[in-house]
């Protein structure tokens, strides 16, 4: 996959580097430095695939030889801190053929360097095995004047330093705190050196980075495009890799583990995991968007259909609440009656036990008494007969135990002891076990009814919920509507579960309805009856006024009761 890399650095005489030595390194050729009288030969020709020199308009023809070109620029730059050249290193996409590499590189140099008057030599490298294709571009750091063919005169100039208001900044004497003046008394101002070399400006460097990306993308497929922007400028939170370098890759080829290469492997692993998680989240969000759009479509289609008019259930709200409270009271009374019957059944059964018992109890007593008689006989015998009678008591106890298991199969402990005292205690335990087994269904029913009664009483003390009141009032309203107009179908369709949510503000169902606070009919029929009664009263009053009845001429009312 194609990657983006472009770095720019200076060949600075102050740091000990020289343009001729750099040329020997990138070209793999012997280069003689005429200024210092030294010859450089760094070898490693096997990694150099191609070397070429491109000149701007008006440059001398002899500069086509890179050794002549960079010796000329070295001789022209005389300062101890001069920077005769710049180095540009770019990564070549692996998708490029050898011909495409040369075309992209030369097009980039012509459009971005030769067009501004710079001469440059490029060298295409790899690691000797066809991996890590890249190119070194050595640029003479002084422009060539197309009119004269010589080097441009100025690379920098001095300018005044301006403040935020655009005014010159005075040069202050630290001893006096006043502005400095020269021998003629003229005031001094701060000045700074401004480079006239475009290659020293950030705007030009950003343009170089963007242009290399555009040059490569013009020859790459859409799936292999590169981006000159940093991950931060792209708005990505992926972690950038670090530069590995030739030494780190050499360690890896030798079978070792380079720390820088290992760091990059970890970064790529975490970035790939983050990319996979983002892709999965993208698919999830896309699916949620589809489901949401389908849901909105269903809601819109449902809202487009006219909804059936809801019956006016407010007239039945009070009846519904009273009906719910009455149903709760009836339910509590029914459970209370069942509990009283269950407790009476427990008392009757206990009375029955005290007087009669059960068949299982009587059979168990008879079986145990036979074993008790044998053990009592062994207890009361003298010392000469006691051994034989004890053995007889054990045999009888075993036989009676078998009979007891057949008579009471659910009894857990059915082994009758051969000792008299133990047999008496066993008889008492067996009687209690039979009693508990017989009474258990009745006592369990009493406990269950007590629990249900407690729940019913707690529910009865609570007010019916607004939802319950409304549901019952709606049913009452529908029944009344059906009774008044049997031909009208007031049944509402069954909910499908996809109904839109009601997001309007709910009413305060906790307060009493206004229909309950005033003395008004609770139902429509009562309202009609009262209207008729009022009409009759008004009609009677009008008739009485028309007749002008004299109260003194009316017959006195007949008194009821004892006459004189």
């Amino acid at each position: 996959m194609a990657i983006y890399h472009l770095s720019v650095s200076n060949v600075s005489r102050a740091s000990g580097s020289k343009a001729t030595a750099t040329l020997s390194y990138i070209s793999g050729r012997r280069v003689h430095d005429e200024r210092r009288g030294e010859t450089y030969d760094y070898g490693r020709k096997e990694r150099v695939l191609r070397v070429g020199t491109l000149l701007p308009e008006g440059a001398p023809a002899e500069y086509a030889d890179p050794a002549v070109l960079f010796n000329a620029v070295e001789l022209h730059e005389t300062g101890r801190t001069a920077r005769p050249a710049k180095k540009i290193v770019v990564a070549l996409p692996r998708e490029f053929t050898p011909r495409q590499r040369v075309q992209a590189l030369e097009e980039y140099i012509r459009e971005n360097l030769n067009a501004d008057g710079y001469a440059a030599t490029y060298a295409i490298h790899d690691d000797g095995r066809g991996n890590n294709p890249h190119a070194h571009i050595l640029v003479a750091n002084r422009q060539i004047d197309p009119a004269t063919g010589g080097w441009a005169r100025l690379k920098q100039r001095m300018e005044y330093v301006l403040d935020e208001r655009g005014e010159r900044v005075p040069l202050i004497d630290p001893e006096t705190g006043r502005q400095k003046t020269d021998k003629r008394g003229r005031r001094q101002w701060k000045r700074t050196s401004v480079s006239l070399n475009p290659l020293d400006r950030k705007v030009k460097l950003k343009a170089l980075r963007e242009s290399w990306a555009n040059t490569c993308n013009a020859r790459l497929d859409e799936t292999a495009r590169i981006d000159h922007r940093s991950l931060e400028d792209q708005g990505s939170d992926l972690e950038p890799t670090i530069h590995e370098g030739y030494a780190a890759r050499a360690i890896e080829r030798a079978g070792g583990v380079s720390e820088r290469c290992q760091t990059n492997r970890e970064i790529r692993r975490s970035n790939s995991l983050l990319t996979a998680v983002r892709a999965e989240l993208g698919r999830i969000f896309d699916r949620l968007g589809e489901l949401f759009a389908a849901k909105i479509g269903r809601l819109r289609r449902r809202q487009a259909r006219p909804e059936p008019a809801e019956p006016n259930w407010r007239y039945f709200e009070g009846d519904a609440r009273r009906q719910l409270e009455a149903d709760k009271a009836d339910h509590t009374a029914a459970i209370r009656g069942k509990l009283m019957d269950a407790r009476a059944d427990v008392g009757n059964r206990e009375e029955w036990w005290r007087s009669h018992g059960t068949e299982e109890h009587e059979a168990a007593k008879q079986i145990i008494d036979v074993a008790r008689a044998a053990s009592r006989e062994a207890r009361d015998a003298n010392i000469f007969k006691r051994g034989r009678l004890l053995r007889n008591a054990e045999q009888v106890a075993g036989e009676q135990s078998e009979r007891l298991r057949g008579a009471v199969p659910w009894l857990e402990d059915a082994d009758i002891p051969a000792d008299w005292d133990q047999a008496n205690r066993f008889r008492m335990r067996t009687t209690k076990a039979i009693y508990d087994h017989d009474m258990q269904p009745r006592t369990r029913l009493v406990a269950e009814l007590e629990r249900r009664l407690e729940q019913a009483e707690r529910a009865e003390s609570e007010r019916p919920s607004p939802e319950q009141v409304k549901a019952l009032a709606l049913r009452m309203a529908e029944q009344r509507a059906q009774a008044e107009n049997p031909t009208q179908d007031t049944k509402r369709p069954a909910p499908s579960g996809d109904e839109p949510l009601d997001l309007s503000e709910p009413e305060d169902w906790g307060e009493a309805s206004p229909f309950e606070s005033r003395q008004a009919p609770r139902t429509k029929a009562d309202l009609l009856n009262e209207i008729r009664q009022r009409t009759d009263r008004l009609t009677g009053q009008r008739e009485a006024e028309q007749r002008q009845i004299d109260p003194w001429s009316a017959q006195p009312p007949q008194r009821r009761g004892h006459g004189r």
Side-chain angles (χ1 to χ4, degrees):
M1 180 179 179
I3 61 172
Y4 179 86
H5 174 76
L6 186 147
S7 61
V8 181
S9 59
N10 287 303
V11 177
S12 175
R13 193 170 290 170
S15 61
S17 57
K18 297 169 284 294
T20 51
T22 304
L23 176 63
S24 174
Y25 173 78
I26 67 172
S27 64
R29 302 173 182 175
R30 293 172 58 90
V31 178
H32 180 72
D33 190 336
E34 299 176 0
R35 186 178 70 87
R36 297 176 62 88
E38 298 176 353
T39 302
Y40 306 103
D41 186 5
Y42 290 97
R44 298 185 65 186
K45 297 181 176 63
E46 67 279 359
R47 64 193 179 99
V48 181
L49 304 180
R50 183 184 177 92
V51 177
T53 301
L54 300 177
L55 302 177
E57 181 181 358
E62 60 269 19
Y63 284 177
D65 184 353
V68 175
L69 171 64
F70 288 101
N71 267 301
V73 74
E74 281 281 356
L75 291 171
H76 186 79
E77 302 290 348
T78 58
R80 291 179 301 174
T81 61
R83 295 178 296 176
K86 286 186 182 293
K87 296 180 291 183
I88 302 176
V89 182
V90 295
L92 296 170
R94 294 184 179 181
E95 291 82 358
F96 280 177
T97 63
R99 181 179 179 82
Q100 288 177 326
R101 295 173 183 173
V102 175
Q103 290 177 348
L105 198 58
E106 291 186 351
E107 177 183 337
Y108 176 74
I109 293 174
R110 288 192 185 96
E111 293 181 355
N112 295 275
L113 299 175
N114 294 158
D116 292 338
Y118 293 100
T121 297
Y122 69 86
I124 300 177
H125 292 186
D126 64 9
D127 62 351
R129 300 178 178 83
N131 300 321
N132 188 27
H134 61 281
H136 296 263
I137 304 174
L138 187 61
V139 186
N141 201 21
R142 185 179 287 270
Q143 295 167 297
I144 295 178
D145 188 351
T148 62
W151 300 108
R153 295 182 60 186
L154 296 178
K155 290 177 63 178
Q156 60 186 14
R157 67 183 179 189
M158 302 300 292
E159 291 184 354
Y160 288 109
V161 178
L162 304 179
D163 58 12
E164 62 275 3
R165 294 177 296 180
E167 299 179 356
R168 291 181 296 179
V169 177
L171 187 63
I172 304 301
D173 188 350
E175 296 180 358
T176 62
R178 298 180 180 179
Q179 186 175 5
K180 289 184 177 181
T181 57
D182 60 4
K183 295 180 180 179
R184 297 182 181 180
R186 294 177 297 186
R187 291 179 295 179
Q188 302 294 309
W189 307 90
K190 282 187 178 181
R191 294 193 299 172
T192 184
S193 175
V194 177
S195 175
L196 300 178
N197 186 7
L199 288 180
D200 290 335
R201 299 174 184 172
K202 290 184 178 180
V203 177
K204 180 62 176 177
L205 296 180
K206 290 182 179 180
L208 288 174
R209 292 181 57 83
E210 183 177 0
S211 178
W212 177 244
N214 295 335
T215 303
C216 293
N217 289 334
R219 295 169 173 80
L220 288 172
D221 187 61
E222 292 183 359
T223 59
R225 298 293 173 86
I226 59 177
D227 197 327
H228 68 285
R229 297 173 300 172
S230 64
L231 293 176
E232 182 179 359
D233 293 339
Q234 297 177 32
S236 173
D237 55 0
L238 295 177
E239 185 178 359
T241 56
I242 61 175
H243 180 67
E244 295 177 355
Y246 178 83
R249 295 194 183 97
I251 294 173
E252 294 278 331
R253 286 196 298 269
V257 178
S258 169
E259 181 179 355
R260 302 184 72 85
C261 294
Q262 181 65 24
T263 301
N264 277 344
R265 281 192 288 269
E266 294 176 357
I267 292 174
R268 293 189 186 98
R269 189 181 303 111
S270 62
N271 287 343
S272 62
L273 178 61
L274 180 58
T275 304
V277 170
R278 282 180 173 173
E280 185 64 24
L281 287 176
R283 287 191 291 270
I284 293 174
F285 286 130
D286 291 342
R287 181 56 181 163
L288 288 176
E290 295 174 0
L291 295 176
F292 183 74
K295 183 71 173 179
I296 292 297
R298 288 197 298 270
L299 291 177
R300 287 178 177 173
R301 289 192 297 270
R302 184 175 295 107
Q303 291 175 358
R305 296 193 300 267
E307 293 289 338
E310 186 179 70
N312 190 358
W313 56 274
R314 287 288 189 177
Y315 287 112
F316 302 91
E317 186 178 4
D319 291 341
R321 182 175 286 109
R322 286 190 293 273
Q323 182 65 42
L324 289 172
E325 293 174 352
D327 291 343
K328 289 181 181 180
D330 293 343
H331 180 63
T332 304
I335 295 177
R336 189 177 290 110
K338 292 180 181 179
L339 179 59
M340 293 176 61
D341 294 341
R343 287 174 176 171
D345 185 38
V346 171
N348 295 335
R349 192 62 178 176
E350 290 177 349
E351 184 66 25
W352 175 267
W353 259 92
R354 283 192 292 269
S355 58
H356 297 87
T358 62
E359 294 181 359
E360 288 183 344
H361 181 234
E362 294 298 330
K365 282 199 304 182
Q366 293 177 6
I367 294 171
I368 296 172
D369 287 344
V370 173
R372 286 176 65 241
S375 62
R376 182 178 57 192
E377 185 179 359
R379 185 199 63 178
D380 296 340
N382 57 31
I383 192 173
F384 299 103
K385 297 180 180 181
R386 184 172 298 169
R388 178 176 59 81
L389 294 177
L390 283 175
R391 289 190 296 274
N392 180 59
E394 292 176 356
Q395 182 179 359
V396 172
E399 295 173 354
Q400 296 303 109
S401 298
E402 292 298 329
R403 291 185 60 194
L404 182 60
R405 291 189 185 93
V408 190
W410 52 265
L411 191 63
E412 295 181 359
D413 185 10
D415 295 330
I416 304 174
D419 183 71
W420 163 256
D421 295 331
Q422 294 180 4
N424 288 333
R425 288 193 291 271
F426 178 80
R427 187 175 183 270
M428 295 175 62
R429 290 198 307 271
T430 303
T431 299
K432 186 177 186 306
I434 296 174
Y435 172 80
D436 292 341
H437 183 267
D438 184 64
M439 295 297 294
Q440 184 178 10
R442 295 170 176 81
T443 56
R444 186 182 301 167
L445 178 60
V446 170
E448 176 65 20
L449 290 174
E450 289 176 347
R451 185 185 64 81
R452 291 172 56 188
L453 179 61
E454 182 181 356
Q455 292 179 352
E457 290 176 346
R458 186 165 57 250
E460 185 180 3
S461 63
E462 298 175 354
R463 292 189 61 182
S465 65
E467 292 80 9
Q468 294 174 341
V469 173
K470 183 177 179 180
L472 183 57
L474 280 172
R475 290 197 297 270
M476 289 181 175
E478 291 174 355
Q479 292 172 2
R480 177 59 61 86
Q482 289 179 358
E484 293 179 353
N485 190 4
T487 60
Q488 183 180 1
D489 184 12
T490 58
K491 292 184 178 179
R492 297 173 61 87
S496 61
D498 294 333
E499 286 75 15
L501 297 177
D502 184 10
L503 301 180
S504 60
E505 291 294 332
E507 298 181 6
D508 187 5
W509 298 106
E511 297 181 359
S513 170
F515 295 97
E516 293 183 355
S517 60
R518 61 187 182 185
Q519 300 297 327
R522 303 299 182 185
T523 63
K524 190 181 294 183
D526 296 336
L527 181 62
L528 293 174
N529 291 334
E530 185 169 349
I531 291 174
R532 293 192 187 96
Q533 292 174 6
R534 291 181 179 179
T535 304
D536 293 342
R537 286 197 299 270
L538 291 175
T539 303
Q541 290 176 4
R542 290 174 182 175
E543 291 178 354
E545 291 176 357
Q546 292 176 1
R547 294 174 185 173
Q548 295 181 357
I549 299 176
D550 185 4
W552 300 105
S553 62
Q555 292 290 335
Q558 298 293 330
R559 296 181 180 271
R560 295 184 180 182
H562 297 284
R564 292 183 181 179

